[in-house]
Amino acid sequence: DLSVYDPETLTSYELGVKTSWLDRRLILNATGFHYQIDDLQVTVLQNVGTRTQNAASAEVNGFEVELEARPVEALSLSIGYGFQDSEYKHFANASVPYPINQGAPLDLTGQPLERAPKDTLNLSASYEIPFATGALIFSTDWRYSSRYRFHVWSDATNINPAPFLASEEAQQLVRDSFSQDDHWPGDARIAWQADSGIEIAAWVKNLTD
């Protein structure tokens, strides 16, 4: 990538609250945010290699909510939800691979940002069984992400594609190939924690493949 591009500027507005209840057995935090990005640096996949260029401006609005609870002494639960709505406010001359728009720049104004899922969710639970010389701990955590795109041009509809990409089937293949569907990866773990500080654990990553 030998292109020249300007620095980007992010102006961030955030408003949040952190609360605790029932002698800190229940914790609730919430944050809302607005990001205004000027000269956003975007790295675009080309036929060979990549090119980094500036989008004129982009905007992100969203919020996050986190809840932690300990309903009984041995059990800990947590949940976190995030929502974001992102958009290129002006990106009129995006450089894209030849087949996508036959070598011409593409106007991606109004497109959502890449790698920016609208919805994310995190869940975790831990249960501890105490013994005289240590504790046995069972835990699991799960993460959800809604669909997102890997490249800014993959969902664009205002294109003049090369003939072999002109059919609806080919366009759908492009959308599917350069995006991540919504998914629910999850992990599980069991551990013995001795009072001496030694821990022995077994775990499974990505339970649902």
Side-chain angles (χ1 to χ4, degrees), residues 41-109:
Q41 296 169 359
V42 183
T43 300
V44 183
L45 181 68
Q46 303 290 286
N47 292 65
V48 178
T50 62
R51 180 187 178 196
T52 300
Q53 62 182 133
N54 292 105
S57 62
E59 187 176 281
V60 184
N61 296 294
F63 65 88
E64 296 176 348
V65 179
E66 300 173 340
L67 179 66
E68 298 178 17
R70 187 181 286 271
V72 295
E73 189 63 31
L75 179 63
S76 297
L77 304 171
S78 70
I79 180 172
Y81 172 73
F83 171 83
Q84 62 176 338
D85 181 32
S86 65
E87 181 180 290
Y88 287 103
K89 303 302 290 184
H90 184 65
F91 196 5
N93 61 338
S95 177
V96 300
Y98 164 78
I100 300 301
N101 205 39
Q102 299 200 49
L106 186 60
D107 186 354
L108 294 175
T109 302

Side-chain angles (χ1 to χ4, degrees), residues 157-202:
T157 57
N158 58 329
I159 62 174
N160 180 28
F164 70 91
L165 285 182
S167 69
E168 179 55 38
E169 292 79 9
Q171 289 296 302
Q172 187 61 50
L173 179 61
V174 170
R175 290 191 287 269
D176 293 342
S177 299
F178 294 99
S179 66
Q180 168 70 65
D181 286 336
D182 59 332
H183 61 294
W184 267 105
D187 309 326
R189 187 175 189 268
I190 180 173
W192 167 258
Q193 288 185 348
D195 292 340
S196 63
I198 295 175
E199 179 181 89
I200 300 174

